[in-house]
Amino acid sequence: MAGQAKKSTKKFEKRHLKDVLERRKDVAKIKQRQQLKAKRKARKARDEGVVSDDVENESKKQGTKSSTDDLKSTLKDMTVDEFFQGALDIPQPKRNLSSSEKASVKRKLDALKDDQNASDLVSEPSDEVDPVASDSNSGSDSDQEADDHKEHLQALAEKDPEFYKYLKENDAELLAFKGDEEMEQWSDPDQPPKKKARASPAVGEDGEEDRNTQASSSEVSLAMVAKWKKAMLEQRSLRALREAVLAFRAAAHTNEDDDKHFKYNIASPEVYHQVLMVALQCAPEVLNHHLPVKEASSGRIRVTTDSKKYRTLSPLLNSHALAVLHLLQNLSDAPTLKITLSSLLPLLPYLLSFKKVLKNLLKAIAGIWSDPSTTEATRINAFLLVRRLAIIGDASLKEAVLKATYQGLVHGSRNTTVHTLAGINLMKNSAAELWGLDATLGYTTAFTYIRQLAIHLRSSISQPSKDSYKAIYNWQYTHSLDFWSRVLSAQCCTASNVAIKKPSDSQLHPLIYPLVQITLGAVRLIPTPIYFPLRFHLIRSLLRLSRSTNTYIPLAPALIEVLQSPELKENPKPSTLKPLDFTTLLRAPKSYLRSRIYQDGVGEQVTDLLAEFFGVWAKSIAFPELTIPPTVLLKRWLKEVSTAPGKDKNRVGVKGNRNHKLNTSVQLLLQKLTTNSTLIEDRRSRLDFSVSDRKGVEEFLRDTEWEEMPIGAFVTYLRKQREERERLLEQSRREEEKRRQDDNAGDSEKADAGFGTNDDSEEGEEDQKR
């Protein structure tokens, strides 16, 4: 027992040892940075002192060795400080340095390079740190080091101009430093660095001229853009990519009244178009050449973010992503918007490190996807980007994708018209796919949003007020319930989701019950005839859910309740109103109430939905028992509305609805129900298993298509009739819009013609008065 560790030691190793070791490593890194910083400051102070001593010694030697007679008297009267402050300029020819001077120069170079290496060591991320996180935390240390390096170079230029000039001619790389804001010092790692005329900021008046030169923008020409494009496509040049990105950033901020200055200026629309095309189409190819994306069979991708080339390209990627984001927020042209979205698809793996920029991009893309004015092709491209992010992103990014998608759907479905309904259905069908990419995350987000819908409904019921129902009876709430029915129908259906064998295997299956309860509660919130269209929308959502998940939902009572309302039982008043389109209505106009047009429309919707409901269970072994209560109620309703006045003495004042069309459709539905029940009873009489045999019950009529059943054939006929009616309505609507546009164009032409003959008409009126 002596060789075993104590229980407290094991507990410490299990719970706290890892954290303690990580904290010790972090403290060691911080101490190392502080030590390097202190050594760098001490070396800098020592080097400045050495440089000043060397300057004085060399100046004395040069003053005694001067062979010019005209300057001897002048130099004798001057001090060394006045000489090197620029009081007298002496042109000196380029000469070879002596051995002592070379040793001094080498010592200074080594000191400067040690400082630069030390700063690189401090700013370089550790191998144990996540490279994705290190990219976003580089800010203050790198800025401080750049400022220190810049101040050191300025002090060197003031104290030792000759040595500074020697560095400019022989080692210009040592004087260069990175500018994160404008990327002006970023160079191509594949090409040798070129010597620059101004390697460092100048002093005095020259510094002002340099800043003015940097502030002024050079105009981009078509030849420059063609040169960049050729270099990017043929040589995969990073230098050409940098110039194209800088020009693209200037193009994205064109015609904006702000104080931002860019390197390039876009003057003509042709150049603007070419810059956009080159930056959007060629940039992904160059990046993929230098930083190839590796994708595993599971869909996960990997980019080598810990490489030197990626750290070099990070400012470029960040700048390009921000420019694309700004462009997306201000674009209104559909083709350009589509090209911009398509160019982002191959860039998404490189932008995973920039979480803040990526989330802003996600919001902009979701806004484009949910905008009713966006074309269908552009919406599809935007959704492909959102779906790609949900596939390659981590859990936090997937959650952000789901939230942005649902918020965009709710925002885009505020106004539902004939023109926007197709786009809203496209959004609902496409967004429903995202909740199947990660079942666990999909369940948590779906549960949260369905719970919000339940809270709104409960508040409207428990705290009634004059306008409390408006929080439920609106398009956004209706589309939200319909969307979640689509999500559950897609993820709990064995036909669309091959990963499950039965609907209960899906992780989203437990959400069916609360969604059904919320929808039925919204149906019965205000049971008045004016909100019958909203009731029909919600019942269609539940029908889809019942059909896809094989879940019984009692919808017949809600539909028979509509038939028993006075709107369909009493004789309506005649009217010449146009038929209503129930697909774009939640609330019927008051002028339509108690009219024959509204009664015909509501009766048609009720018979269609009752047929659809019974068609879902057309092959069920319990179909005869399922139809008994609705059949009794429908026969009683037919007897009430068909009774002529005076024939039934016990029912005084009953006149019936006198609607032969509605009564005939209900009677036909009753016949189909009776025929289907007779067929099921005939098939049941031949069976040799009992009701307790679950497998036999499920296998009943499995090989028979539901369209072959009597009620199934009736439903198929009603669907074709409804599709033909919708096609005719759409055709008439388009013809009416075209006729209205032609009338408006004719009125404008007449107005223009009348404006030109105004003087002639006035003269004619004066002649008539005379």
Side-chain angles (χ1 to χ4, degrees):
M1 298 296 293
Q4 294 183 356
K6 295 182 179 180
K7 186 176 180 180
S8 59
T9 305
K10 292 181 179 179
K11 189 181 297 184
F12 176 79
E13 291 176 353
K14 182 178 180 181
R15 297 182 180 180
H16 306 291
L17 181 60
K18 186 176 179 181
D19 296 336
V20 170
L21 292 177
E22 289 179 356
R23 284 198 297 270
R24 289 180 180 178
K25 289 180 181 180
D26 294 339
V27 172
K29 290 177 185 177
I30 295 172
K31 289 182 178 180
Q32 185 182 9
R33 291 195 187 99
Q34 293 176 352
Q35 292 174 0
L36 289 173
K37 194 172 182 180
K39 290 180 181 179
R40 185 181 57 189
K41 289 182 179 180
R43 191 182 295 110
K44 186 190 299 184
R46 185 176 65 254
D47 292 342
E48 289 177 357
V50 172
V51 168
S52 60
D53 294 340
D54 293 339
V55 167
E56 292 179 2
N57 295 332
E58 291 175 6
S59 62
K60 289 179 181 180
K61 292 179 181 178
Q62 290 177 1
T64 56
K65 292 181 179 180
S66 177
S67 59
T68 307
D69 297 337
D70 297 335
L71 297 175
K72 283 184 178 181
S73 59
T74 306
L75 292 174
K76 289 180 181 179
D77 298 334
M78 293 175 59
T79 63
V80 177
D81 295 334
E82 292 175 349
F83 178 83
F84 284 102
Q85 285 177 358
L88 181 63
D89 294 333
I90 303 176
Q92 295 181 356
K94 189 174 181 179
R95 61 185 180 85
N96 297 326
L97 298 177
S98 62
S99 59
S100 61
E101 292 173 345
K102 287 182 179 180
S104 176
V105 168
K106 184 178 181 181
R107 186 170 61 253
K108 298 171 187 176
L109 280 174
D110 293 339
L112 282 176
K113 289 182 178 178
D114 289 341
D115 289 343
Q116 200 171 32
N117 292 333
S119 63
D120 293 340
L121 180 62
V122 172
S123 60
E124 186 176 356
S126 176
D127 295 334
E128 298 177 357
V129 182
D130 186 7
V132 174
S134 63
D135 291 334
S136 60
N137 298 330
S138 60
S140 59
D141 293 340
S142 60
D143 294 340
Q144 183 66 30
E145 291 164 6
D147 295 338
D148 294 343
H149 189 53
K150 185 176 178 181
E151 293 175 0
H152 193 187
L153 293 176
Q154 289 179 354
L156 183 63
E158 293 176 359
K159 295 183 178 180
D160 196 347
E162 183 180 358
F163 176 62
Y164 187 80
K165 183 179 179 182
Y166 175 79
L167 290 179
K168 287 172 62 177
E169 294 176 355
N170 296 275
D171 199 352
E173 291 183 2
L174 190 62
L175 301 179
F177 60 92
K178 296 180 181 180
D180 293 334
E181 183 178 358
E182 296 294 335
M183 297 185 304
E184 299 297 336
Q185 304 298 330
W186 185 85
S187 59
D188 191 346
D190 294 340
Q191 298 180 2
K194 297 181 179 180
K195 296 181 180 179
K196 298 183 180 180
R198 293 185 299 273
S200 67
V203 188
E205 297 178 357
D206 295 337
E208 296 179 359
E209 293 177 359
D210 291 341
R211 284 191 293 270
N212 294 332
T213 304
Q214 292 178 356
S216 62
S217 303
S218 59
E219 185 174 341
V220 181
S221 62
L222 292 174
M224 295 170 61
V225 180
K227 182 180 177 182
W228 297 338
K229 183 177 181 181
K230 182 179 179 181
M232 292 169 67
L233 293 178
E234 295 180 359
Q235 305 173 6
R236 299 292 191 266
S237 173
L238 291 177
R239 188 179 299 277
L241 175 63
R242 167 186 172 272
E243 301 301 326
V245 169
L246 291 175
F248 174 72
R249 184 174 55 178
H253 292 79
T254 304
N255 299 328
E256 293 185 0
D257 298 333
D258 51 12
D259 298 334
K260 293 183 178 180
H261 298 284
F262 302 99
K263 181 179 180 180
Y264 292 110
N265 180 28
I266 311 298
S268 64
E270 293 81 7
V271 175
Y272 177 85
H273 178 73
Q274 290 299 322
V275 167
L276 257 63
M277 292 300 103
V278 170
L280 294 176
Q281 295 177 354
C282 300
E285 297 182 8
V286 178
L287 288 173
N288 191 34
H289 174 76
H290 292 280
L291 292 171
V293 179
K294 300 176 183 178
E295 185 170 0
S297 58
S298 60
R300 297 189 53 133
I301 64 167
R302 182 177 179 274
V303 180
T304 55
T305 55
D306 54 348
S307 63
K308 181 180 179 182
K309 186 169 289 187
Y310 183 85
R311 290 195 295 269
T312 306
L313 290 173
S314 292
L316 185 69
L317 284 169
N318 191 18
S319 176
H320 185 63
L322 290 174
V324 172
L325 173 61
H326 186 80
L327 190 65
L328 288 176
Q329 293 172 346
N330 297 276
L331 269 181
S332 58
D333 184 46
T336 309
L337 193 59
K338 181 180 176 182
I339 294 173
T340 306
L341 292 172
S342 301
S343 69
L344 271 176
L345 193 60
L347 291 178
L348 292 181
Y350 304 103
L351 300 179
L352 292 177
S353 301
F354 309 98
K355 290 295 180 65
K356 185 176 180 180
V357 177
L358 197 59
K359 288 184 178 180
N360 291 333
L361 271 174
L362 175 61
K363 291 180 181 178
I365 295 169
I368 294 171
W369 171 73
S370 62
D371 190 0
S373 61
T374 309
T375 61
E376 184 177 350
T378 307
R379 282 187 169 188
I380 292 174
N381 284 315
F383 174 73
L384 290 177
L385 279 172
V386 174
R387 184 179 181 276
R388 181 64 174 167
L389 274 177
I391 292 175
I392 67 176
D394 54 4
S396 63
L397 190 57
K398 288 180 181 179
E399 186 177 1
V401 167
L402 296 180
K403 289 182 178 180
T405 304
Y406 183 70
Q407 291 172 0
L409 173 64
V410 173
H411 179 74
S413 61
R414 184 186 300 271
N415 297 321
T416 302
T417 62
V418 178
H419 307 283
T420 61
L421 183 61
I424 293 173
N425 289 331
L426 174 65
M427 285 194 297
K428 289 190 287 189
N429 290 328
S430 57
E433 181 187 353
L434 299 178
W435 265 260
L437 299 177
D438 189 340
T440 304
L441 189 61
Y443 175 82
T444 55
T445 53
F447 177 82
T448 302
Y449 290 124
I450 291 175
R451 183 174 177 272
Q452 287 182 358
L453 297 176
I455 291 173
H456 286 301
L457 180 62
R458 185 183 63 184
S459 300
S460 179
I461 295 174
S462 61
Q463 300 175 1
S465 62
K466 184 178 180 181
D467 296 332
S468 61
Y469 72 95
K470 292 183 180 179
I472 308 301
Y473 279 16
N474 56 67
W475 275 117
Q476 290 176 311
Y477 196 90
T478 305
H479 282 303
S480 297
L481 290 174
D482 184 68
F483 169 70
W484 291 118
S485 75
R486 292 173 189 257
V487 171
L488 298 182
S489 300
Q491 304 306 323
C492 300
C493 180
T494 55
S496 59
N497 190 358
V498 296
I500 60 175
K501 295 182 179 180
K502 53 184 180 179
S504 59
D505 292 341
S506 175
Q507 294 189 23
L508 298 180
H509 188 268
L511 296 176
I512 294 178
Y513 178 76
L515 180 64
V516 170
Q517 293 299 317
I518 295 169
T519 308
L520 291 178
V523 164
R524 293 189 172 89
L525 182 62
I526 302 180
T528 55
I530 199 170
Y531 284 107
F532 282 166
L534 182 141
R535 176 178 295 215
F536 298 149
H537 282 290
L538 298 180
I539 289 176
R540 289 190 186 277
S541 300
L542 293 179
L543 273 174
R544 182 193 306 110
L545 185 61
S546 177
R547 186 185 305 111
S548 301
T549 62
N550 199 25
T551 303
Y552 176 75
I553 303 174
L555 298 177
L559 292 170
I560 295 178
E561 184 181 344
V562 176
L563 283 176
Q564 293 176 346
S565 65
E567 195 71 27
L568 297 182
K569 292 178 66 174
E570 297 180 0
N571 186 20
K573 58 184 179 182
S575 64
T576 57
L577 298 172
K578 294 192 302 182
L580 285 175
D581 186 8
F582 284 86
T583 58
T584 56
L585 277 182
L586 288 183
R587 183 177 182 272
K590 290 185 178 180
S591 59
Y592 278 82
L593 298 179
R594 298 297 178 91
S595 65
R596 175 58 62 91
I597 295 296
Y598 189 59
Q599 189 181 76
D600 289 343
V602 171
E604 185 180 350
Q605 293 288 323
V606 170
T607 52
D608 286 353
L609 291 173
L610 278 173
E612 290 281 353
F613 168 71
F614 289 114
V616 174
W617 308 105
K619 299 192 301 179
S620 174
I621 197 171
F623 187 84
E625 290 75 18
L626 178 65
T627 58
I628 290 175
T631 301
V632 172
L633 292 175
L634 289 176
K635 288 181 179 180
R636 187 181 301 170
W637 181 83
L638 277 175
K639 184 178 180 181
E640 290 177 355
V641 299
S642 302
T643 302
K647 286 189 176 182
D648 192 351
K649 297 180 180 180
N650 297 326
R651 301 174 69 247
V652 180
V654 177
K655 300 180 180 180
N657 58 11
R658 296 182 182 180
N659 193 333
H660 179 70
K661 179 182 177 182
L662 173 60
N663 299 341
T664 303
S665 62
V666 174
Q667 192 171 6
L668 182 60
L669 175 63
L670 275 173
Q671 292 177 1
K672 298 299 179 181
L673 293 178
T674 305
T675 306
N676 202 89
S677 299
T678 304
L679 178 62
I680 296 295
E681 289 175 352
D682 182 60
R683 295 290 182 91
R684 287 195 314 192
S685 63
R686 305 174 191 174
L687 299 178
D688 56 354
F689 57 85
S690 63
V691 182
S692 60
D693 190 354
R694 186 70 178 176
K695 184 178 180 181
V697 171
E698 292 177 355
E699 294 291 335
F700 180 73
L701 295 181
R702 181 178 290 273
D703 298 333
T704 305
E705 297 293 334
W706 76 274
E707 291 89 350
E708 299 176 3
M709 305 296 292
I711 190 65
F714 182 61
V715 170
T716 305
Y717 167 74
L718 291 178
R719 287 180 180 178
K720 291 181 180 179
Q721 218 176 21
R722 184 169 60 250
E723 290 174 359
E724 181 66 18
R725 187 166 54 251
E726 291 176 356
R727 187 185 64 82
L728 293 176
L729 286 174
E730 181 69 17
Q731 184 178 355
S732 63
R733 184 184 62 81
R734 290 181 179 178
E735 291 177 355
E736 186 178 355
E737 286 182 357
K738 185 178 180 182
R739 185 168 57 253
R740 189 184 299 113
Q741 292 176 359
D742 294 340
D743 294 341
N744 294 334
D747 293 341
S748 61
E749 290 178 359
K750 289 180 182 179
D752 296 338
F755 180 76
T757 60
N758 191 18
D759 296 337
D760 297 337
S761 62
E762 290 179 357
E763 291 178 1
E765 291 177 359
E766 292 178 359
D767 293 338
Q768 289 178 0
K769 290 179 181 180
R770 291 174 185 173

